[in-house]
Amino acid sequence: MLFGKTILITGVASGIGARTAELAGQLGADVIGVDVREPAAPVGGFVKADISSRAGVDDLVASLPQRIDALCNVAGLSGNTGAVSTLAVNFYGLRALSEGLAPKLREGGAIVNVASIAGYGWRANLNRAASMVGIEGFPDVARVVADHQVKNEEGYPVSKELLLLWTQRAARQELFRSRGIRVNAVSPGPVETPILKQFRNVLGDARVDSDIARVGRAGTLGDIAPVVLFLCSDGARWVNGANVPVDGGLEASINAEVLGF
Ligand SMILES: NC(=O)c1ccc[n+]([C@@H]2O[C@H](COP(=O)([O-])OP(=O)(O)OC[C@H]3O[C@@H](n4cnc5c(N)ncnc54)[C@H](O)[C@@H]3O)[C@@H](O)[C@H]2O)c1
């Protein structure tokens, strides 16, 4: 499915990014992994980089080859380090990497953003999300957080709300659209990874347990990686600006409750 494609995957030292890199290799892709930490068992090439700053993103982009077929934005923080660092990695760094990499992404290439069910509130909070997404480039994130009065405990869900909104904008953004680069999102529910313990601290056990109870179990790495890679493949060539929930039906169950059907 991915034979001969070069796929850049962030967050490869752990969890969903590690499994996505492993599966991409098995499906025939050349993988370039990125993480701020060294992976225990790297798959393909590896570039150590920190996407939380403009300089980190610029250095990373400069070090990459000229032709990449797809970018999987998987790296993320749980929110336990506060709103500023979380928004810097989960949204502004991710977006700066996507935009910086665009000239190296081949025509007809793909970007897949790993968002979350935690970003479900993007419609309810549309004004704030649109304002924060509307700030171009890599801003002073501390200032953005202060100006929009984002509390530390809101950092994670807000980062994913922005990501879901931007995914839909990016699908129509000239930078990508002019070269047929598709931009989509995958939204997992709770997944058994090291970050899940941190989510329990940030969101509370009750919220995480209720999400798991609604669908019978937490997700596994093997539930998420194939969907991310399908969106990278040419089989998804007419899928653009979409958010695919990969959560065992969690979003459908929340929709039923919120919309009353
Ligand atoms: N695990 C879940 O329950 C769950 C649910 C929904 C969405 N997600 C999302 O899935 C993605 C992957 O999460 P995971 O569960 O695999 O977590 P994880 O903690 O296992 O992996 C995240 C990886 O991102 C890397 N990273 C963090 N900051 C970075 C930076 N500044 N620069 C480069 N790399 C950095 C970490 O080193 C780590 O290897 C995240 O975006 C997360 O928000 C996870």
Side-chain angles (χ1 to χ4, degrees):
M1 185 166 90
L2 300 174
F3 191 77
K5 291 195 193 298
T6 301
I7 305 196
L8 186 73
I9 303 172
T10 68
V12 292
S14 179
I16 296 168
R19 180 63 191 131
T20 304
E22 189 183 23
L23 183 59
Q26 288 162 354
L27 292 172
D30 292 319
V31 176
I32 304 174
V34 173
D35 207 293
V36 71
R37 292 186 286 149
E38 295 277 346
V43 177
F46 173 70
V47 182
K48 191 168 182 177
D50 182 347
I51 64 161
S52 68
S53 72
R54 159 63 62 194
V57 170
D58 287 349
D59 289 351
L60 169 59
V61 171
S63 73
L64 294 169
Q66 281 307 319
R67 187 183 184 279
I68 287 170
D69 294 277
L71 164 64
C72 300
N73 283 312
V74 189
L77 294 177
S78 65
N80 73 340
T81 52
V84 174
S85 52
T86 303
L87 277 155
V89 174
N90 294 13
F91 181 64
Y92 291 109
L94 177 162
R95 184 181 66 175
L97 173 60
S98 307
E99 292 180 346
L101 194 71
K104 294 187 173 187
L105 277 173
R106 74 150 162 99
E107 215 161 291
I111 296 175
V112 181
N113 299 320
V114 176
S116 170
I117 186 66
Y120 184 86
W122 71 267
R123 290 180 192 81
N125 302 319
L126 185 57
N127 286 345
R128 177 178 64 184
S131 169
M132 293 177 76
V133 169
I135 302 165
E136 293 186 357
F138 205 132
D140 175 348
V141 182
R143 175 108 193 251
V144 176
V145 164
D147 287 351
H148 291 82
Q149 297 172 359
V150 180
K151 297 185 197 114
N152 275 331
E153 59 273 26
E154 295 175 317
Y156 184 77
V158 169
S159 73
K160 299 301 186 181
E161 289 171 17
L162 304 194
L163 186 53
L164 288 171
L165 181 63
W166 178 70
T167 298
Q168 294 168 79
R169 279 208 178 158
R172 297 176 293 120
Q173 194 173 329
E174 205 47 26
L175 179 65
F176 303 114
R177 197 178 69 159
S178 61
R179 296 183 38 255
I181 297 166
R182 300 176 292 103
V183 188
N184 292 294
V186 164
S187 284
V191 182
E192 292 294 355
T193 72
I195 222 178
L196 189 57
K197 273 197 204 95
Q198 297 171 17
F199 286 135
R200 287 186 172 280
N201 295 337
V202 174
L203 303 171
D205 279 334
R207 163 76 197 276
V208 175
D209 287 337
S210 132
D211 281 358
I212 293 173
R214 277 172 189 260
V215 292
R217 67 168 172 85
T220 65
L221 301 179
D223 295 328
I224 314 300
V227 185
V228 172
L229 294 176
F230 165 67
L231 290 170
C232 290
S233 77
D234 294 336
R237 68 187 180 191
W238 202 233
V239 184
N240 194 16
N243 173 38
V244 182
V246 187
D247 59 11
L250 177 59
E251 180 164 337
S253 129
I254 295 172
N255 277 339
E257 192 175 293
V258 170
L259 302 172
F261 61 83

